[in-house]
Amino acid sequence: VTVTGLSDLFLLEGCTHITGSLRFGNVDDEGSGDTSPWLTAIGPRLSSLQTVGDKLIITHTGLTNLQGFESLTSVSTLLIHNNHSMTSLTGLEGLTTIAADMIILATEATTQVSEGLQNLTSVGGTFILQGERVPQCQIDNVLSHVTVGGPVYTEGDSTCN
């Protein structure tokens, strides 16, 4: 399922489980594509969504945060990148398990990651969390409560607020 605008969200209202992939923005399987700046909020349409069986890809959107995903508890793979308006990962507080890989490449706007990932307990594969303006102490805080089954790659700002 690919979501590029508000009308696509109406189709997913009330959905609790998606067995395949869920993509936000104009993306292909590699996560690249054209920007979808008109997708600026998820809102309550996905408030029932608990699991995504394959990839959750959020890329090239105008989202500032991930509010609307609060009920999401598990995904197979999480890929978030090229969201130039996203300032935080708020909204992922319910996420506890990523079965395979987590790749978050924060943009220059993203300065907060620990609020959305505070309940994450396991990543089964590779863990990548990078952001030039994300304080390294926030990344370290996330890693302090997550069991990772694969390699870990992090890079953040050396200053901590």
Side-chain angles (χ1 to χ4, degrees):
V1 177
T2 299
V3 177
T4 58
L6 187 59
S7 62
D8 297 327
L9 286 175
F10 287 107
L11 300 173
L12 297 172
E13 190 168 5
C15 183
T16 57
H17 306 283
I18 294 177
T19 57
S21 293
L22 179 58
R23 298 175 170 118
F24 286 83
N26 290 329
V27 296
D28 58 23
D29 285 336
E30 285 74 44
S32 62
D34 298 326
T35 302
S36 300
W38 53 87
L39 185 60
T40 58
I42 301 299
R45 302 286 177 225
L46 294 178
S47 63
S48 299
L49 184 63
Q50 298 170 14
T51 62
V52 176
D54 196 12
K55 299 173 189 169
L56 174 56
I57 301 172
I58 303 168
T59 184
H60 300 285
T61 72
L63 295 172
T64 58
N65 59 53
L66 297 171
Q67 291 178 338
F69 284 108
E70 288 84 1
S71 296
L72 185 67
T73 59
S74 68
V75 300
S76 177
T77 297
L78 178 63
L79 172 60
I80 301 174
H81 73 97
N82 287 328
N83 297 287
H84 296 286
S85 299
M86 192 171 294
T87 58
S88 78
L89 300 180
T90 302
L92 290 179
E93 292 85 0
L95 186 63
T96 59
T97 305
I98 299 173
D101 302 321
M102 182 188 97
I103 302 170
I104 299 176
L105 303 177
T107 63
E108 62 279 350
T110 309
T111 58
Q112 300 293 320
V113 295
S114 56
E115 289 90 0
L117 299 175
Q118 71 266 30
N119 294 316
L120 182 65
T121 58
S122 68
V123 175
T126 303
F127 179 102
I128 299 174
L129 180 51
Q130 298 177 334
E132 63 185 48
R133 294 194 51 210
V134 176
Q136 185 65 42
C137 58
Q138 285 189 29
I139 296 171
D140 295 342
N141 182 40
V142 171
L143 277 171
S144 72
H145 56 81
V146 176
T147 301
V148 180
V152 174
Y153 304 98
T154 68
E155 182 180 343
D157 184 344
S158 61
T159 61
C160 286
N161 301 334

